[in-house]
Amino acid sequence: MKLANRVDQVKPSVTLAISAKAKAMKAEGIDVCSFSAGEPDFDTPAHIKAAAQKALDEGKTKYGPAAGEPKLREVIAHKLKRDLNLDYKSENVIVTNGGKHSLFNLMMALIEPGDEVIIPAPYWVSYPEMVTIAGGTPVIVTTDASTGYKITAEQLRQSITPKTKLFVLNSPSNPTGMVYSPGEIEALAKVIVEADILVVSDEIYEKLLYDGAKHISIGSLGTEIFSRTIISNGFAKGYSMTGWRLGYLAGPVDLIKATSNIQSHSTSNVCTFAQYGAIAALEGSQDCVEEMRQAFAKRREVMFARINSIPGLSCEKPDGAFYLFPSISETGLKSLEFCSKLLEEYQVASIPGTAFGADNNIRFSYATDMTTIEKGMDRLEKFVRLAVSS
Ligand SMILES: *Cc1c(COP(=O)(O)O)cnc(C)c1O
């Protein structure tokens, strides 16, 4: 069969082989410690599930408006004002099938052949692929531990060409967990305004912050940057709702209308009764978010201390999300080899940094219980000690 050319341009996920292997080992009854999860390990809070159940019982089971239930769009606009001081109305918001779908819709509405999109590495796996599917050119800017894996304003400035359309900002970051400081965000905003490009701010981890770190939304820094900002967010990470498939995009009305048009011909509206769960998530008590955050905070301390005590690994202390991203360069192994051996010989699953454009690092998720963390870190330590000494 002759498939469309665009299929050849999308890379198969390098993480797939590892996760398939880990699953197969588990199925065989092998005791695998898994740190590969990209999702919270908690159940969705009860009041959110109850709201969706109620909507289901009330017959909210039909097609709805493609851009989302009017009430949910309104509640999201209100949240963006309340939490982040962003002036949006319902018409500036589209409800999507997850944060991933928000970004995909955005690329389809905005990017065309010839357009360049600046993506700092380490990056979330899907950003470059989405740009490619839309026919654009991802421009990868490599960052390292010296800047906390964050792109500097100067690096951004130097990467901009007349073809640059969009810059992708992700803070807190997946895979590094790093959070941009207010000063760093301000410096990036200045470059964006001066060059008159757009920025999409992926804020899916905005609620998962530690050690007093604050989340600043780049669009809140003034009218000039606000008009060039698009916000992408979702319910998956903060409310432990990954399987619900609920996200949103906020931005200028013409863009939101365009994404809504695209959505109306692809997925139509997000599952109607699920949207009532999202309303409850935003309108209800935020204590559930804080409880999960505190559990993550404890695990982060334990895992960070353990990883950094292992000779051969070095790790920055990230202030957000639920990942640690240690460097493995002293082990002499590349990330895929490191992860494969760690899984095969020590039954520990992690994600090779090469998936995120960083071959000298490994991503460990601490969205798992403390017992697994202790056991998995013991095994990791044995593995690295042997790898370094041999
Ligand atoms: C998880 C994640 C998303 C979106 O997840 P959805 O499940 O589609 O809402 C977006 N960006 C980053 C960086 C993520 O880690």
Side-chain angles (χ1 to χ4, degrees):
M1 194 191 302
K2 167 76 181 80
L3 299 177
N5 283 337
R6 82 176 71 84
V7 177
D8 295 333
Q9 285 161 21
V10 181
K11 285 186 228 101
S13 162
V14 284
T15 64
L16 223 65
I18 288 261
S19 8
K21 172 114 199 169
K23 270 199 193 126
M25 287 168 70
K26 273 188 190 162
E28 278 174 46
I30 299 170
D31 170 32
V32 177
C33 292
S34 187
F35 301 105
S36 55
E39 60 182 335
D41 53 321
F42 306 102
D43 195 5
T44 302
H47 70 282
I48 298 175
K49 291 206 281 189
Q53 265 154 11
K54 180 162 172 280
L56 193 53
D57 290 341
E58 286 171 353
K60 301 266 192 320
T61 57
K62 304 293 182 192
Y63 289 139
E69 291 294 291
K71 171 76 178 172
L72 178 55
R73 294 174 77 192
E74 191 187 306
V75 170
I76 291 168
H78 179 251
K79 173 247 181 290
L80 290 169
K81 178 69 187 169
R82 176 192 71 199
D83 293 358
L84 303 169
N85 200 26
L86 298 167
D87 278 310
Y88 290 122
K89 298 197 178 74
S90 301
E91 59 185 5
N92 297 102
V93 175
I94 178 175
V95 181
T96 63
N97 289 283
K100 185 177 277 182
H101 188 220
S102 292
L103 293 160
F104 192 83
N105 276 338
L106 170 69
M107 298 306 173
M108 293 310 275
L110 202 63
I111 301 305
E112 59 191 5
D115 290 341
E116 292 179 354
V117 178
I118 297 175
I119 302 171
Y123 47 74
W124 185 50
V125 268
S126 297
Y127 297 143
E129 305 304 331
M130 287 175 177
V131 171
T132 304
I133 292 170
T137 307
V139 174
I140 308 298
V141 180
T142 302
T143 69
D144 59 26
S146 69
T147 62
Y149 300 102
K150 293 182 268 189
I151 189 172
T152 64
E154 196 43 43
Q155 277 179 307
L156 177 61
R157 195 192 320 273
Q158 282 171 8
S159 315
I160 293 171
T161 75
K163 291 181 174 169
T164 305
K165 182 98 185 237
L166 179 70
F167 165 55
V168 180
L169 177 65
N170 176 214
S171 177
S173 151
N174 177 5
T176 68
M178 290 299 178
V179 178
Y180 284 74
S181 73
E184 288 164 346
I185 300 261
E186 208 168 310
L188 292 172
K190 221 174 137 216
V191 175
I192 291 159
V193 170
E194 270 167 22
D196 194 19
I197 62 170
L198 298 167
V199 57
V200 58
S201 183
D202 180 350
E203 308 189 346
I204 194 111
Y205 295 99
E206 68 166 321
K207 299 290 180 195
L208 298 178
L209 297 166
Y210 315 105
D211 289 348
K214 285 216 162 52
H215 172 72
I216 303 268
S217 186
I218 191 164
S220 68
L221 294 177
T223 52
E224 293 255 64
I225 185 69
F226 180 67
S227 65
R228 292 171 177 83
T229 299
I230 302 118
I231 306 287
S232 177
N233 206 332
F235 296 84
K237 311 294 164 54
Y239 297 97
S240 201
M241 292 170 71
T242 44
W244 291 61
R245 310 313 303 132
L246 269 161
Y248 55 90
L249 199 66
V253 173
D254 54 347
L255 171 76
I256 296 304
K257 276 198 181 138
T259 55
S260 167
N261 196 1
I262 289 167
Q263 184 156 298
S264 76
H265 292 296
S266 47
T267 61
S268 289
N269 64 284
V270 175
C271 172
T272 307
F273 53 86
Q275 293 186 58
Y276 287 83
I279 293 170
L282 292 181
E283 283 193 326
S285 160
Q286 301 301 298
D287 290 353
C288 54
V289 180
E290 178 58 13
E291 273 165 36
M292 292 190 268
R293 192 196 68 80
Q294 283 181 14
F296 285 135
K298 283 194 197 118
R299 300 159 176 188
R300 164 179 169 270
E301 290 298 339
V302 171
M303 201 146 145
F304 175 74
R306 288 296 306 265
I307 288 182
N308 255 347
S309 73
I310 300 173
L313 298 184
S314 65
C315 190
E316 303 293 309
K317 194 170 195 183
D319 284 336
F322 39 68
Y323 308 106
L324 295 175
F325 201 59
S327 162
I328 55 160
S329 44
E330 282 175 47
T331 65
L333 298 173
K334 286 298 177 192
S335 64
L336 198 53
E337 192 187 1
F338 186 103
C339 287
S340 304
K341 285 191 169 162
L342 182 59
L343 179 61
E344 277 161 27
E345 297 167 17
Y346 291 83
Q347 297 80 47
V348 173
S350 57
I351 305 282
T354 182
F356 314 105
D359 208 8
N360 291 321
N361 296 73
I362 305 290
R363 192 190 77 178
F364 289 96
S365 159
Y366 49 87
T368 188
D369 61 278
M370 208 62 111
T371 316
T372 303
I373 291 175
E374 295 284 7
K375 193 161 67 178
M377 291 299 109
D378 287 346
R379 294 180 187 179
L380 173 69
E381 181 162 359
K382 281 192 196 125
F383 168 67
V384 178
R385 278 188 191 280
L386 257 167
V388 172
S389 68
S390 63

